[in-house]
Amino acid sequence: MSLDRLGPAYQPYALSLFRFITGLLLFQYGIAKIFKFPVLPQFADVPPLIMTAGTLELVLGGALMIGLFTRTAAFILSGQMAVAYFLGHMLKTGEPVFLPLLNGGTPAILFCFACLYLATSGGGPLSVDAAMEKKKGGFRRSGYAQSFDAAE
């Protein structure tokens, strides 16, 4: 069996898994910032801006996990992660540190672009969004199939 044939068949389900894991990872940051679980030194006494970020991560990360309003939630989280990188990592010391490896901003950049991808591709077939779309009478395909349809 060729991976060239196997890949496209499972791509929508891989997208759903990617959405779930991205949401789960953001959700855990929200739990740690708001509920202090697990106890982490960097989240012991968080300022209001970080608490707001934690609220977004908790609520919208949960929405991503179940695939509810995926595009909107992912777009907001992508913007939040971009702001987190610039304010919380690159400019943390007052002097700009551009290299993510040195400023600890790699997860923020990765989350930013992961969420940007989800904002453009949608939540996949295993999501609340897909179930609501099916109930309305049609399933809007996401990913490669949709982009090929638009090109025709």
Side-chain angles (χ1 to χ4, degrees):
M1 182 175 279
S2 170
L3 284 178
D4 291 336
R5 274 193 250 142
L6 185 63
Y10 290 102
Q11 185 271 339
Y13 301 104
L15 174 62
S16 293
L17 181 62
F18 179 72
R19 183 208 73 240
F20 177 80
I21 296 299
T22 303
L24 179 65
L25 293 174
L26 286 163
F27 186 78
Q28 79 171 353
Y29 276 99
I31 294 284
K33 289 173 185 172
I34 294 173
F35 298 113
K36 313 289 189 240
F37 178 80
V39 177
L40 299 170
Q42 68 262 34
F43 300 138
D45 187 30
V46 295
L49 184 63
I50 303 299
M51 191 64 84
T52 303
T55 303
L56 285 173
E57 292 160 2
L58 180 72
V59 173
L60 297 179
L64 276 186
M65 282 195 308
I66 63 172
L68 180 64
F69 307 121
T70 301
R71 292 177 191 267
T72 304
F75 184 75
I76 293 168
L77 285 167
S78 178
Q80 181 214 344
M81 290 295 116
V83 170
Y85 175 74
F86 287 110
L87 292 183
H89 296 282
M90 192 174 104
L91 302 173
K92 177 174 36 178
T93 61
E95 192 72 28
V97 179
F98 293 104
L99 191 61
L101 202 56
L102 297 177
N103 67 26
T106 302
I109 293 172
L110 193 55
F111 277 130
C112 176
F113 284 95
C115 288
L116 187 62
Y117 175 71
L118 289 171
T120 60
S121 65
L126 304 177
S127 65
V128 174
D129 290 339
M132 290 189 320
E133 191 67 33
K134 260 187 190 174
K135 192 172 184 178
K136 284 182 185 176
F139 177 68
R140 188 174 42 164
R141 294 182 298 168
S142 62
Y144 297 118
Q146 188 177 16
S147 63
F148 287 131
D149 290 345
E152 291 176 352

